[in-house]
Amino acid sequence: MPEMPKTFRPTGTAPAERRRAYDADRRSAAPWRNWYKLKTWLEKRAAQLRETPLCERCQAEGRITEATVANHKTPHRGNWDLFINGELESTCKPCHDSVIQSEERNAK
């Protein structure tokens, strides 16, 4: 039976170091990611999930799933006004991480 080829791992870089480097690159490429830690956003997110506790995408397909993500209906892409004042929808993590992310990538 054929074997998988070995995965290349640069010498001298531990997984934790690679992860830190990846996170640093991601933060510098999209500094607005820190906005999700702000009290204003956390309160807005909590209010959205209180108001609509079930995933809107799953409900449209006849499933009942708890919502855990407050998703921006219009991607803000670093626009503060859209980030804070944009319309939100409640979704479950699987819908957000698959269906919605796919829609946003294809809309570019």
Side-chain angles (χ1 to χ4, degrees):
M1 175 161 245
E3 292 184 21
M4 290 276 301
K6 292 191 175 190
T7 303
F8 174 72
R9 302 256 192 256
T11 56
T13 57
E17 291 174 35
R18 287 194 304 272
R19 182 67 193 185
R20 277 193 294 275
Y22 171 79
D23 288 344
D25 287 346
R26 195 170 180 205
R27 277 191 303 274
S28 66
W32 49 262
R33 289 186 186 280
N34 288 328
W35 294 350
Y36 288 100
K37 298 175 189 170
L38 297 175
K39 183 179 179 185
T40 306
W41 166 253
L42 295 173
E43 289 171 351
K44 184 173 175 94
R45 175 191 177 278
Q48 173 66 31
L49 295 175
R50 254 191 325 273
E51 183 180 312
T52 312
L54 299 177
C55 175
E56 296 176 38
R57 300 285 179 117
C58 288
Q59 277 188 311
E61 295 179 6
R63 295 188 314 265
I64 296 177
T65 310
E66 178 186 14
T68 56
V69 178
N71 178 59
H72 290 88
K73 284 189 175 183
T74 304
H76 61 82
R77 304 207 194 288
N79 179 324
W80 174 255
D81 189 50
L82 273 177
F83 180 79
I84 288 299
N85 300 317
E87 189 177 357
L88 299 176
E89 67 178 329
S90 296
T91 64
C92 61
K93 187 156 176 56
C95 283
H96 179 266
D97 291 354
S98 61
V99 177
I100 295 170
Q101 295 298 316
S102 173
E103 290 172 357
E104 289 181 11
R105 274 192 300 276
N106 293 333
K108 284 184 178 179

